[in-house]
Amino acid sequence: MDDIDLDSMSLDELKKLQKNVGKAIDGYEGKQRKAALAAVEAAARENGYSLAELTGMASKKGKAVSPPKYRHPENPEQTWTGRGRQPDWMKDALENGQSKDDFLIK
């Protein structure tokens, strides 16, 4: 690589060079990281394992959805799991003296 005369460069040129060097370093590190990961995954496969099995990391699965526990008596499409904020229909019913047990899904 040619020597760069930094003393003859303007401030804008130096900043641009600095930015480009940072990008080049990040790109190089990213390539090295990918190569290392590929090598580790290949070694795990050769021994009959997945990388996730060896590291104890679970595979990416969606969040489990809780089944509804309570149902609105007049509108069965309105349900509540019993977690998070109470829906307005449940609040209104409790204020009118009803119990949560009256809305349990059996």
Side-chain angles (χ1 to χ4, degrees):
M1 184 171 158
D2 296 328
D3 287 332
I4 299 173
D5 185 13
L6 300 175
D7 294 329
S8 66
M9 296 177 77
S10 70
L11 181 60
D12 288 340
E13 291 172 329
L14 289 169
K15 287 182 178 183
K16 185 176 180 182
L17 177 63
Q18 182 181 26
K19 182 179 172 184
N20 290 338
V21 168
K23 284 182 182 179
I25 290 171
D26 290 343
Y28 181 82
E29 289 173 342
K31 289 176 192 173
Q32 293 296 103
R33 191 176 301 113
K34 285 180 183 178
L37 182 60
V40 171
E41 286 175 338
R45 276 193 307 272
E46 287 175 11
N47 289 295
Y49 297 100
S50 71
L51 187 57
E53 288 174 320
L54 294 176
T55 60
M57 295 178 65
S59 62
K60 295 180 181 179
K61 293 184 180 178
K63 195 175 183 182
V65 177
S66 299
K69 188 174 179 181
Y70 303 99
R71 177 170 284 132
H72 190 285
E74 296 169 9
N75 185 355
E77 291 180 6
Q78 292 184 358
T79 59
W80 180 45
T81 63
R83 296 182 177 184
R85 290 179 56 193
Q86 280 184 343
D88 290 336
W89 60 266
M90 179 63 83
K91 287 181 188 177
D92 293 340
L94 294 175
E95 288 173 4
N96 291 326
Q98 291 182 291
S99 169
K100 282 185 182 179
D101 294 339
D102 297 338
F103 302 98
L104 278 172
I105 298 174
K106 298 180 172 63

